Amino acid sequence: MKILTTQTIGLLQKIAADEELALEDGARLLAQAAISNGRIWLYGTGELDAVVAAALLGPDPLPKAARLEPGAADDWNGTDRALVFAHFSNDKEAIRLVEQLQANSVDTVAVSTLVKDEPGLADIAAVHIDSKLSRPLVPTEDGRRIAMPTVVAASFIYYGLLVLLDEILEEYE
């Protein structure tokens, strides 16, 4: 537990330090929809749908947010923004979705671990926030690694965006 705790705290501190500007840019982009008549569409691939559920149903919901259904382009417009969570930046499902959103003039904040030297979300999203979780955190005695808290990292980024967005909206009012 001590290794897991230390490694997780280190991961979150690295995200906070290295992704500060991207978090601010992402919050500003989402604020455009929150201030206008737009919506903030949320989507998470795989287990990261848990972050979407927290953002919609938890005690700290994202303003003007709705669950994004792939292929529902009729509901999207240029005043909307999207927040898409994927484990890795080369996630094909997330890439297709962001491309669909772009084709409908919806700028996207993408959250994923950056896969270097591969095209992906960091290249096509308006803002990319690197979740920095490329491998499990805890080494085992037999040489394997376990404990890859993707939902923890993505939730931390979500709450960072929420806090910054709240500050922007308070200044706007």
Side-chain angles (χ1 to χ4, degrees):
M1 281 301 298
K2 185 171 180 131
I3 292 171
L4 176 61
T5 302
T6 301
Q7 292 293 335
T8 303
I9 290 169
L11 170 69
L12 300 181
Q13 288 174 332
K14 186 160 182 55
I15 291 169
D18 294 354
E19 300 301 307
E20 181 178 6
L21 293 176
L23 282 159
E24 290 171 5
D25 289 345
R28 278 193 291 277
L29 188 73
L30 298 177
Q32 293 171 3
I35 291 167
S36 71
N37 290 326
R39 292 187 84 43
I40 300 173
W41 296 103
L42 303 173
Y43 190 80
T45 62
E47 79 275 17
L48 296 176
D49 187 56
V51 183
V52 173
L56 293 173
L57 306 171
D60 295 309
L62 194 63
K64 293 210 174 171
R67 182 177 295 277
L68 190 150
E69 299 297 335
D74 292 344
D75 296 335
W76 308 336
N77 69 64
T79 60
D80 294 344
R81 300 295 177 259
L83 177 55
V84 175
F85 295 92
H87 188 149
F88 292 110
S89 62
N90 62 352
D91 182 293
K92 292 184 186 337
E93 176 187 352
I95 291 168
R96 275 192 302 275
L97 182 58
V98 171
E99 288 171 343
Q100 284 180 326
L101 289 160
Q102 283 182 317
N104 286 277
S105 302
V106 177
D107 287 332
T108 303
V109 176
V111 176
S112 65
T113 295
L114 180 64
V115 177
K116 293 182 171 126
D117 301 324
E118 281 196 39
L121 295 171
D123 303 308
I124 62 173
V127 176
H128 180 261
I129 302 169
D130 186 355
S131 57
K132 304 198 175 291
L133 189 56
S134 58
R135 65 183 184 151
L137 299 179
V138 180
T140 62
E141 290 184 19
D142 64 0
R144 297 176 301 117
R145 294 183 77 84
I146 59 172
M148 197 157 185
T150 54
V151 174
V152 171
S155 293
F156 179 72
I157 291 168
Y158 164 71
Y159 284 109
L161 287 167
L162 180 68
V163 167
L164 293 167
L165 176 60
D166 186 67
E167 289 174 5
I168 292 168
L169 296 178
E170 280 186 16
E171 288 176 15
Y172 181 76
E173 292 176 355

